[in-house]
Amino acid sequence: MREPLLRLSNVETFYGPIRAIRGVSLDVHQGTIVAVLGANGAGKTTILKTISGVMDPLKGAVVFEGREIQGEDPDRIARAGIAHVPEGRETFPYLTVRQNLLMGAYARRDRAAVPGDLEMVYGYIPRLRDLSQRVAGSMSGGEQQMLAIGRALMSRPRLLLLDEPSLGLSPRLVGEVFELIRRLNGETGLTILVVEQNAGTALATCHFGFVLELGRIVMEDTCENLMAKDDIKEFYLGMKDEGVREGRRWKRRKTWR
Amino acid sequence: MSQVIQIFMSGLAEGCIYALVALGFVLIYKATEMVNFAQGDLMMLGAFVGYFLIVGLGANYWIALVGAVVIMAVFSYALDVFVLRRVIGQPQFAVVMLTIGLGFVFRAAASMIWGANPLAFVTPFTDGTTSIGGAPIPDVSLSIVAGTAVLCGLLFALFQYTPVGVAMQAASQNQLAAYYMGIPVKRIFALIWAISGGVAAVAGILLAPLTLIDTSIGFLGLKAFAAAVLGGFGSIPGALAGGIAIGLIEQFSGVYLMDGFKDIAAYVVLLLVLFVRPQGLFGAAARKRV
Ligand SMILES: Nc1ncnc2c1ncn2[C@@H]1O[C@H](COP(=O)(O)OP(=O)(O)OP(=O)(O)O)[C@@H](O)[C@H]1O
Ligand SMILES: [Mg+2]
């Protein structure tokens, strides 16, 4: 099999004394959508932060395009081709949409290509063109999520990291966001690593999935197979029992074994 | 009428100096949430560096102005890299003590290098006057107002139209997101310190012909601090408006009110405004700080 675009091997990341990631290994292959599923506090965000260099792992290696990148500064990793759409969107509230998008291209060296990529982003997310002079903080959650994705695309990434893009969005908007993810992957071949609690939508979109529990990978398979598994179904049932997904909390404790 | 114009212009000039120092406070606070109590002393150092270039080296005024800005910018950049960056994340009082302590160090260093006696240098504006509405206005006042306006215009263009300027805004608004975008946040913050140092140098050199230069001129930073609070600490237009307001109030109260009121006028106004609008004139009621 080909070398994966991204490989984590035995990564351990700490918050002070707290070991949030306990030896995670996962591969992301070129041109695929990979999902990492897990409940609150499973360590999903920490994995993405470790990849994009916002946090440094204490042990293990992060290999991107054959090169070890763990411990490097985030701006170097961004330039190396990894873009991170953080949890909670994290737009620049007092900058306009256009300025926010341009910030996504800040670390780039090939400035000449930026205007063309701005058009590419407007092409994929036409609403951003209409809102281009609006201040980001005044937009709705869904618009800000689209902006955060557009901003990440402005760095022309070869790997896009998405942290819970469905968070706080209505089902219709969740559908729109994942439709965008599918199109970006299908039309440009962009490799996408998405972490989600919304397992249903994520599994319907991804090619390969990992299930994370308390900082460990407890299951990995193609998304098709994962969807067929009993405990995953139970996970869905859990969702259905509670009706609307209340904010971001699962009421019931989830187990995966 | 001509007296009113004169008072207005001297208040405006004085206010512009407050505004420039207040601008330094606000730029650093917005970016790093640090209050730099040494900002007035950076202005003092800027004035002495200007003195050194003009009197010591015999440089032309304009060259000395640019030179002092560059020197103070580099100095402030280094100050951030070697000193202040290390206290980020420490309790606020540690930061406050550190910057107050730096102020002492700067004053001591300046008096060791340049002595304790007041100094002066000649500028193209010294002693000249221009008539405005029949009132003779010192060119020094006009130079301060014009210099402040030009500097603010340049800063506005920098923050609004250059990628590094927009990145400075971005890093000030959401530091975490700036990290995610690969914006080199630490370098951007050091550049903001450099700008504050450069602005302080301009303020010091503009102020020099108005007062003599000595190690205590930095204490006007306290009034500039009041100006920044008045404007809503964290708002750049607020800092400018607050500075000018305090300069004007001081001059007018010095002429029309009883003796001694001039020195407290700034604080009286500040207290009154904070009673009515605790967030300051330009502050948003609840700002998101990340
Ligand atoms: N800043 C922090 N300081 C200390 N511990 C933290 C910090 N952030 C996260 N943790 C801990 O690390 C673990 C993993 O957190 P992480 O944010 O990666 O979870 P997550 O899977 O993204 O959860 P969520 O679905 O709520 O976003 C949790 O146990 C959490 O309590
Ligand atoms: Mg998370």
Side-chain angles (χ1 to χ4, degrees), chain B residues 72-149:
Chain B
M72 288 307 296
V74 171
F75 177 74
S76 304
Y77 188 101
L79 198 63
D80 180 47
V81 171
F82 294 113
V83 182
L84 291 148
R85 187 178 288 178
R86 293 165 202 281
V87 296
I88 282 191
Q90 302 298 319
Q92 191 68 30
F93 74 85
V95 177
V96 168
M97 281 314 300
L98 177 66
T99 59
I100 290 178
L102 283 174
F104 276 100
V105 173
F106 295 163
R107 286 193 294 278
S111 79
M112 274 186 264
I113 300 172
W114 288 289
N117 294 324
L119 304 171
F121 55 79
V122 176
T123 73
F125 316 108
T126 312
D127 294 335
T129 57
T130 301
S131 169
I132 294 182
I137 305 297
D139 284 349
V140 170
S141 299
L142 296 176
S143 77
I144 292 175
V145 176
T148 304

Coordinates of all heavy atoms in Angstrom, one line a residue, chain B residues 72-149:
Chain B
M72 N 14.1 53.3 19.0 CA 13.2 52.9 20.0 C 12.3 51.7 19.6 O 11.9 50.9 20.5 CB 12.2 54.1 20.4 CG 12.9 55.2 21.1 SD 13.8 54.6 22.6 CE 12.4 54.0 23.6
A73 N 12.1 51.6 18.3 CA 11.3 50.4 17.8 C 12.1 49.1 18.1 O 11.6 48.1 18.6 CB 10.9 50.5 16.4
V74 N 13.4 49.2 17.7 CA 14.2 48.0 17.9 C 14.4 47.7 19.4 O 14.3 46.5 19.8 CB 15.6 48.2 17.3 CG1 16.6 47.1 17.6 CG2 15.5 48.3 15.7
F75 N 14.5 48.7 20.2 CA 14.7 48.6 21.6 C 13.4 47.9 22.2 O 13.5 46.9 23.0 CB 14.9 49.9 22.3 CG 15.0 49.9 23.8 CD1 16.1 49.4 24.4 CD2 14.0 50.4 24.6 CE1 16.2 49.4 25.8 CE2 14.0 50.3 25.9 CZ 15.2 49.8 26.6
S76 N 12.2 48.4 21.8 CA 11.0 47.8 22.3 C 10.8 46.4 21.9 O 10.3 45.5 22.6 CB 9.8 48.7 21.9 OG 10.0 50.0 22.4
Y77 N 11.2 46.1 20.6 CA 11.1 44.8 20.1 C 11.9 43.8 21.0 O 11.4 42.8 21.4 CB 11.6 44.7 18.7 CG 11.4 43.4 17.9 CD1 10.3 43.3 17.0 CD2 12.2 42.3 18.1 CE1 10.1 42.1 16.3 CE2 12.0 41.1 17.4 CZ 11.0 41.0 16.5 OH 10.8 39.9 15.9
A78 N 13.1 44.3 21.3 CA 14.0 43.4 22.1 C 13.5 43.3 23.5 O 13.6 42.2 24.1 CB 15.4 44.1 22.1
L79 N 12.9 44.4 24.0 CA 12.3 44.4 25.3 C 11.3 43.3 25.4 O 11.2 42.5 26.4 CB 11.7 45.7 25.6 CG 11.4 46.1 27.0 CD1 12.7 46.2 27.8 CD2 10.6 47.4 27.1
D80 N 10.4 43.2 24.4 CA 9.4 42.1 24.4 C 10.1 40.7 24.3 O 9.8 39.8 25.1 CB 8.5 42.3 23.2 CG 7.4 41.2 23.2 OD1 6.8 40.9 24.3 OD2 7.1 40.6 22.2
V81 N 11.0 40.6 23.4 CA 11.6 39.3 23.2 C 12.4 38.8 24.4 O 12.2 37.6 24.8 CB 12.5 39.3 22.0 CG1 13.3 38.0 21.8 CG2 11.7 39.5 20.7
F82 N 13.1 39.7 25.0 CA 14.0 39.2 26.1 C 13.4 39.3 27.5 O 13.8 38.7 28.5 CB 15.3 40.0 26.1 CG 16.1 39.6 24.8 CD1 16.3 40.6 23.9 CD2 16.6 38.3 24.6 CE1 17.0 40.2 22.7 CE2 17.3 38.0 23.5 CZ 17.5 39.0 22.5
V83 N 12.4 40.2 27.7 CA 11.9 40.4 29.0 C 10.4 40.1 29.1 O 10.0 39.2 29.8 CB 12.1 41.9 29.5 CG1 11.6 42.0 30.9 CG2 13.6 42.2 29.4
L84 N 9.6 40.8 28.4 CA 8.1 40.8 28.6 C 7.5 39.5 28.2 O 6.5 39.0 28.9 CB 7.5 42.0 28.0 CG 7.9 43.2 28.8 CD1 8.0 44.4 27.9 CD2 7.0 43.5 29.9
R85 N 8.0 38.9 27.1 CA 7.4 37.7 26.7 C 7.4 36.6 27.8 O 6.6 35.7 27.8 CB 8.2 37.2 25.5 CG 7.6 36.0 24.8 CD 8.5 35.7 23.6 NE 8.3 36.7 22.5 CZ 9.0 36.6 21.3 NH1 9.9 35.7 21.2 NH2 8.8 37.5 20.4
R86 N 8.4 36.7 28.6 CA 8.6 35.7 29.7 C 7.5 35.7 30.8 O 7.3 34.8 31.5 CB 10.0 35.8 30.3 CG 11.0 35.4 29.3 CD 12.4 35.8 29.7 NE 13.2 36.0 28.5 CZ 13.8 34.9 27.9 NH1 13.6 33.7 28.4 NH2 14.5 35.1 26.8
V87 N 6.9 36.9 30.9 CA 5.9 37.0 32.0 C 4.5 36.8 31.5 O 3.5 36.8 32.3 CB 5.9 38.3 32.8 CG1 7.3 38.4 33.5 CG2 5.7 39.5 31.9
I88 N 4.3 36.5 30.2 CA 2.9 36.2 29.7 C 2.4 35.0 30.4 O 3.1 34.0 30.6 CB 2.9 36.0 28.2 CG1 3.0 37.4 27.5 CG2 1.7 35.3 27.7 CD1 2.8 37.3 26.0
G89 N 1.2 35.1 30.9 CA 0.6 34.0 31.6 C 0.8 34.1 33.1 O 0.1 33.4 33.9
Q90 N 1.7 35.0 33.6 CA 1.8 35.2 35.0 C 0.7 36.1 35.5 O 0.0 36.8 34.7 CB 3.2 35.9 35.3 CG 4.4 35.2 34.8 CD 4.5 33.8 35.5 OE1 4.3 33.7 36.7 NE2 4.8 32.8 34.7
P91 N 0.5 36.2 36.8 CA -0.6 37.0 37.3 C -0.4 38.5 36.9 O 0.7 38.9 36.7 CB -0.5 36.9 38.8 CG 0.2 35.6 39.1 CD 1.1 35.4 37.9
Q92 N -1.5 39.2 36.7 CA -1.5 40.5 36.2 C -0.6 41.4 37.1 O 0.1 42.3 36.6 CB -2.9 41.1 36.2 CG -3.0 42.4 35.4 CD -2.8 42.3 33.9 OE1 -3.0 41.3 33.3 NE2 -2.2 43.3 33.3
F93 N -0.6 41.2 38.4 CA 0.2 42.1 39.3 C 1.7 42.0 39.0 O 2.5 42.9 39.1 CB -0.1 41.9 40.8 CG 0.4 40.7 41.4 CD1 1.8 40.7 41.9 CD2 -0.3 39.6 41.5 CE1 2.3 39.5 42.4 CE2 0.2 38.4 42.0 CZ 1.5 38.4 42.5
A94 N 2.1 40.7 38.6 CA 3.5 40.5 38.3 C 3.9 41.4 37.1 O 5.0 42.0 37.1 CB 3.8 39.1 38.0
V95 N 3.0 41.4 36.1 CA 3.3 42.1 34.9 C 3.3 43.6 35.2 O 4.2 44.4 34.8 CB 2.2 41.9 33.8 CG1 2.4 42.7 32.6 CG2 2.1 40.4 33.5
V96 N 2.4 44.1 36.1 CA 2.3 45.5 36.4 C 3.6 45.9 37.2 O 4.3 46.9 36.8 CB 1.1 45.8 37.3 CG1 1.2 47.1 38.0 CG2 -0.2 45.6 36.5
M97 N 4.0 45.0 38.1 CA 5.2 45.3 38.9 C 6.4 45.4 37.9 O 7.3 46.2 38.0 CB 5.5 44.3 40.0 CG 4.7 44.4 41.2 SD 4.7 46.1 41.8 CE 6.4 46.4 42.1
L98 N 6.5 44.4 37.0 CA 7.6 44.4 36.1 C 7.7 45.7 35.2 O 8.8 46.3 35.1 CB 7.5 43.2 35.1 CG 8.6 43.1 34.1 CD1 9.9 42.8 34.7 CD2 8.3 42.0 33.1
T99 N 6.6 46.1 34.7 CA 6.6 47.3 33.9 C 6.9 48.6 34.7 O 7.6 49.5 34.3 CB 5.4 47.5 33.0 OG1 4.2 47.6 33.9 CG2 5.2 46.4 32.1
I100 N 6.4 48.6 35.9 CA 6.7 49.7 36.8 C 8.2 49.7 37.1 O 8.9 50.8 37.0 CB 5.9 49.7 38.1 CG1 4.4 50.0 37.8 CG2 6.4 50.7 39.1 CD1 3.5 49.9 39.0
G101 N 8.7 48.5 37.4 CA 10.1 48.4 37.6 C 11.0 48.8 36.4 O 12.0 49.5 36.6
L102 N 10.5 48.4 35.2 CA 11.3 48.9 34.0 C 11.3 50.4 33.9 O 12.3 51.0 33.5 CB 10.6 48.3 32.8 CG 10.8 46.8 32.5 CD1 10.0 46.4 31.3 CD2 12.3 46.6 32.2
G103 N 10.2 51.0 34.3 CA 10.2 52.5 34.3 C 11.3 53.1 35.2 O 12.0 54.0 34.8
F104 N 11.4 52.5 36.4 CA 12.5 53.0 37.3 C 13.9 52.8 36.6 O 14.7 53.6 36.6 CB 12.5 52.2 38.6 CG 11.5 52.7 39.6 CD1 10.3 52.2 39.8 CD2 11.9 53.8 40.4 CE1 9.4 52.7 40.7 CE2 11.0 54.4 41.3 CZ 9.7 53.8 41.5
V105 N 14.0 51.6 36.0 CA 15.3 51.3 35.4 C 15.6 52.3 34.3 O 16.7 52.8 34.1 CB 15.3 49.8 34.8 CG1 16.6 49.6 34.0 CG2 15.2 48.8 36.0
F106 N 14.6 52.6 33.4 CA 14.8 53.5 32.3 C 15.2 54.9 32.8 O 16.1 55.5 32.3 CB 13.5 53.6 31.5 CG 13.2 52.3 30.8 CD1 11.9 52.1 30.2 CD2 14.1 51.3 30.6 CE1 11.5 51.0 29.6 CE2 13.8 50.1 30.0 CZ 12.5 50.0 29.5
R107 N 14.5 55.3 33.9 CA 14.8 56.7 34.4 C 16.2 56.7 35.0 O 17.0 57.7 34.8 CB 13.8 57.1 35.5 CG 12.4 57.4 34.9 CD 11.5 58.1 35.9 NE 11.1 57.2 37.0 CZ 10.1 56.4 36.9 NH1 9.4 56.2 35.8 NH2 9.8 55.6 38.0
A108 N 16.6 55.6 35.7 CA 17.9 55.6 36.3 C 19.0 55.6 35.2 O 19.9 56.3 35.2 CB 18.0 54.4 37.2
A109 N 18.7 54.8 34.2 CA 19.7 54.7 33.1 C 19.8 56.0 32.4 O 20.9 56.5 32.1 CB 19.3 53.6 32.1
A110 N 18.7 56.7 32.1 CA 18.7 58.0 31.4 C 19.5 59.0 32.3 O 20.3 59.8 31.7 CB 17.3 58.5 31.2
S111 N 19.3 59.0 33.6 CA 20.0 60.0 34.4 C 21.5 59.7 34.5 O 22.3 60.5 34.6 CB 19.4 60.2 35.7 OG 19.8 59.2 36.6
M112 N 21.8 58.4 34.4 CA 23.3 58.0 34.4 C 23.9 58.5 33.1 O 25.0 58.9 33.0 CB 23.5 56.5 34.5 CG 23.5 56.1 36.0 SD 23.9 54.3 36.1 CE 22.2 53.6 36.3
I113 N 23.2 58.3 32.0 CA 23.8 58.6 30.7 C 23.8 60.1 30.4 O 24.8 60.7 30.0 CB 23.1 57.9 29.5 CG1 23.1 56.4 29.7 CG2 23.7 58.2 28.2 CD1 22.3 55.6 28.8
W114 N 22.6 60.7 30.6 CA 22.5 62.1 30.2 C 22.4 63.1 31.4 O 22.2 64.3 31.2 CB 21.2 62.3 29.4 CG 21.3 61.6 28.0 CD1 22.0 62.1 27.0 CD2 20.7 60.4 27.6 NE1 21.9 61.3 25.9 CE2 21.1 60.2 26.2 CE3 19.8 59.5 28.2 CZ2 20.7 59.1 25.5 CZ3 19.4 58.4 27.4 CH2 19.9 58.2 26.1
G115 N 22.6 62.6 32.6 CA 22.6 63.5 33.8 C 21.2 63.9 34.2 O 20.2 63.6 33.6
A116 N 21.2 64.6 35.3 CA 19.9 65.0 35.9 C 19.4 66.3 35.5 O 18.3 66.7 35.8 CB 20.0 64.9 37.5
N117 N 20.2 67.1 34.8 CA 19.8 68.5 34.4 C 18.9 68.4 33.1 O 19.2 67.6 32.2 CB 21.0 69.4 34.2 CG 21.8 69.6 35.5 OD1 21.2 69.7 36.5 ND2 23.1 69.6 35.3
P118 N 17.9 69.3 33.1 CA 17.1 69.3 31.9 C 17.9 69.7 30.7 O 18.8 70.6 30.7 CB 16.0 70.4 32.2 CG 16.1 70.6 33.7 CD 17.5 70.2 34.1
L119 N 17.5 69.1 29.5 CA 18.2 69.4 28.3 C 17.2 69.9 27.2 O 16.0 69.7 27.4 CB 18.9 68.1 27.8 CG 19.8 67.4 28.7 CD1 20.2 66.0 28.2 CD2 21.1 68.2 29.0
A120 N 17.8 70.4 26.2 CA 16.9 70.9 25.1 C 17.6 70.7 23.8 O 18.9 70.7 23.7 CB 16.5 72.3 25.3
F121 N 16.9 70.6 22.7 CA 17.5 70.7 21.4 C 16.6 71.5 20.5 O 15.4 71.7 20.7 CB 17.7 69.3 20.7 CG 16.5 68.4 20.7 CD1 15.5 68.6 19.6 CD2 16.3 67.4 21.6 CE1 14.4 67.8 19.6 CE2 15.2 66.5 21.5 CZ 14.3 66.7 20.5
V122 N 17.3 72.1 19.5 CA 16.6 73.1 18.6 C 15.9 72.3 17.5 O 16.4 71.3 16.9 CB 17.6 74.1 18.0 CG1 16.8 75.0 17.0 CG2 18.2 74.9 19.1
T123 N 14.6 72.6 17.2 CA 13.9 72.0 16.2 C 13.5 73.1 15.1 O 13.6 74.3 15.4 CB 12.6 71.4 16.7 OG1 11.7 72.4 17.0 CG2 12.8 70.5 17.9
P124 N 13.0 72.7 13.9 CA 12.6 73.7 13.0 C 11.4 74.5 13.5 O 11.1 75.5 12.9 CB 12.2 72.8 11.8 CG 12.9 71.5 12.0 CD 13.0 71.3 13.4
F125 N 10.8 74.1 14.5 CA 9.6 74.7 15.0 C 9.8 75.6 16.2 O 8.9 76.4 16.6 CB 8.5 73.7 15.3 CG 8.4 72.6 14.3 CD1 8.9 71.3 14.6 CD2 7.9 72.8 13.1 CE1 8.8 70.3 13.7 CE2 7.9 71.9 12.1 CZ 8.3 70.6 12.4
T126 N 11.0 75.5 16.8 CA 11.2 76.3 18.0 C 11.1 77.7 17.7 O 11.6 78.2 16.7 CB 12.7 76.0 18.5 OG1 12.8 74.5 18.5 CG2 12.9 76.5 19.9
D127 N 10.4 78.5 18.6 CA 10.3 79.9 18.5 C 9.4 80.5 17.4 O 9.0 81.7 17.5 CB 11.6 80.6 18.4 CG 12.5 80.4 19.7 OD1 11.8 80.1 20.7 OD2 13.7 80.4 19.6
G128 N 9.0 79.7 16.4 CA 8.2 80.3 15.4 C 6.7 80.3 15.8 O 6.3 79.6 16.7
T129 N 5.9 81.2 15.2 CA 4.5 81.2 15.4 C 3.8 81.4 14.0 O 4.4 81.9 13.1 CB 4.0 82.4 16.3 OG1 4.5 83.6 15.7 CG2 4.6 82.3 17.7
T130 N 2.6 80.9 14.0 CA 1.7 81.1 12.8 C 0.4 81.6 13.3 O -0.1 81.2 14.3 CB 1.5 79.7 12.1 OG1 2.8 79.2 11.8 CG2 0.6 79.9 10.9
S131 N -0.1 82.6 12.5 CA -1.4 83.2 13.0 C -2.6 82.3 12.5 O -2.7 82.0 11.3 CB -1.5 84.6 12.4 OG -2.8 85.1 12.6
I132 N -3.5 82.0 13.4 CA -4.7 81.3 13.1 C -5.8 82.1 13.6 O -5.9 82.3 14.8 CB -4.7 79.9 13.6 CG1 -3.6 79.0 13.0 CG2 -6.0 79.2 13.4 CD1 -3.5 77.6 13.4
G133 N -6.7 82.6 12.8 CA -7.9 83.4 13.2 C -7.4 84.6 14.0 O -8.1 85.0 15.0
G134 N -6.3 85.1 13.7 CA -5.8 86.3 14.4 C -5.0 86.0 15.7 O -4.5 86.9 16.3
A135 N -5.0 84.7 16.0 CA -4.2 84.3 17.2 C -2.9 83.8 16.9 O -2.8 82.9 16.0 CB -5.0 83.3 18.0
P136 N -1.8 84.2 17.5 CA -0.5 83.7 17.2 C -0.3 82.3 17.9 O -0.4 82.2 19.1 CB 0.5 84.7 17.8 CG -0.3 85.4 18.9 CD -1.8 85.3 18.5
I137 N -0.2 81.3 17.1 CA -0.1 79.9 17.6 C 1.4 79.5 17.4 O 1.9 79.6 16.4 CB -1.0 79.0 16.8 CG1 -2.4 79.5 16.8 CG2 -0.9 77.6 17.4 CD1 -3.1 79.5 18.2
P138 N 2.0 79.0 18.5 CA 3.4 78.5 18.4 C 3.5 77.3 17.3 O 2.6 76.5 17.3 CB 3.7 77.9 19.8 CG 2.7 78.5 20.7 CD 1.5 78.8 19.8
D139 N 4.5 77.4 16.5 CA 4.7 76.3 15.5 C 4.9 75.0 16.2 O 4.6 73.9 15.6 CB 5.9 76.6 14.6 CG 5.6 77.7 13.6 OD1 4.4 78.0 13.5 OD2 6.5 78.2 13.0
V140 N 5.4 75.0 17.4 CA 5.6 73.8 18.1 C 4.3 73.0 18.3 O 4.1 71.8 18.1 CB 6.3 74.0 19.5 CG1 6.2 72.8 20.4 CG2 7.7 74.5 19.3
S141 N 3.2 73.8 18.7 CA 1.9 73.2 18.9 C 1.4 72.6 17.6 O 0.9 71.5 17.5 CB 0.9 74.2 19.4 OG 1.3 74.7 20.6
L142 N 1.6 73.4 16.5 CA 1.1 72.9 15.2 C 1.9 71.7 14.8 O 1.3 70.7 14.2 CB 1.3 74.0 14.1 CG 0.4 75.3 14.4 CD1 0.8 76.3 13.4 CD2 -1.0 74.9 14.3
S143 N 3.2 71.6 15.1 CA 4.0 70.5 14.7 C 3.5 69.2 15.4 O 3.4 68.1 14.9 CB 5.5 70.7 14.9 OG 5.8 70.6 16.3
I144 N 3.1 69.4 16.7 CA 2.6 68.2 17.5 C 1.3 67.7 16.9 O 1.1 66.5 16.6 CB 2.4 68.6 18.9 CG1 3.8 68.9 19.6 CG2 1.7 67.5 19.7 CD1 3.7 69.4 21.0
V145 N 0.4 68.7 16.6 CA -0.9 68.3 16.0 C -0.7 67.6 14.6 O -1.2 66.5 14.4 CB -1.9 69.5 15.9 CG1 -3.2 69.0 15.2 CG2 -2.1 70.1 17.3
A146 N 0.1 68.2 13.8 CA 0.3 67.7 12.5 C 1.0 66.3 12.5 O 0.6 65.4 11.9 CB 1.1 68.6 11.6
G147 N 2.0 66.3 13.4 CA 2.8 65.0 13.5 C 1.9 63.9 14.0 O 1.9 62.7 13.5
T148 N 1.0 64.2 15.0 CA 0.1 63.2 15.5 C -0.9 62.7 14.4 O -1.1 61.5 14.2 CB -0.7 63.7 16.7 OG1 0.2 64.2 17.7 CG2 -1.6 62.7 17.3
A149 N -1.4 63.7 13.6 CA -2.3 63.3 12.5 C -1.7 62.4 11.5 O -2.2 61.4 11.1 CB -2.9 64.6 11.9

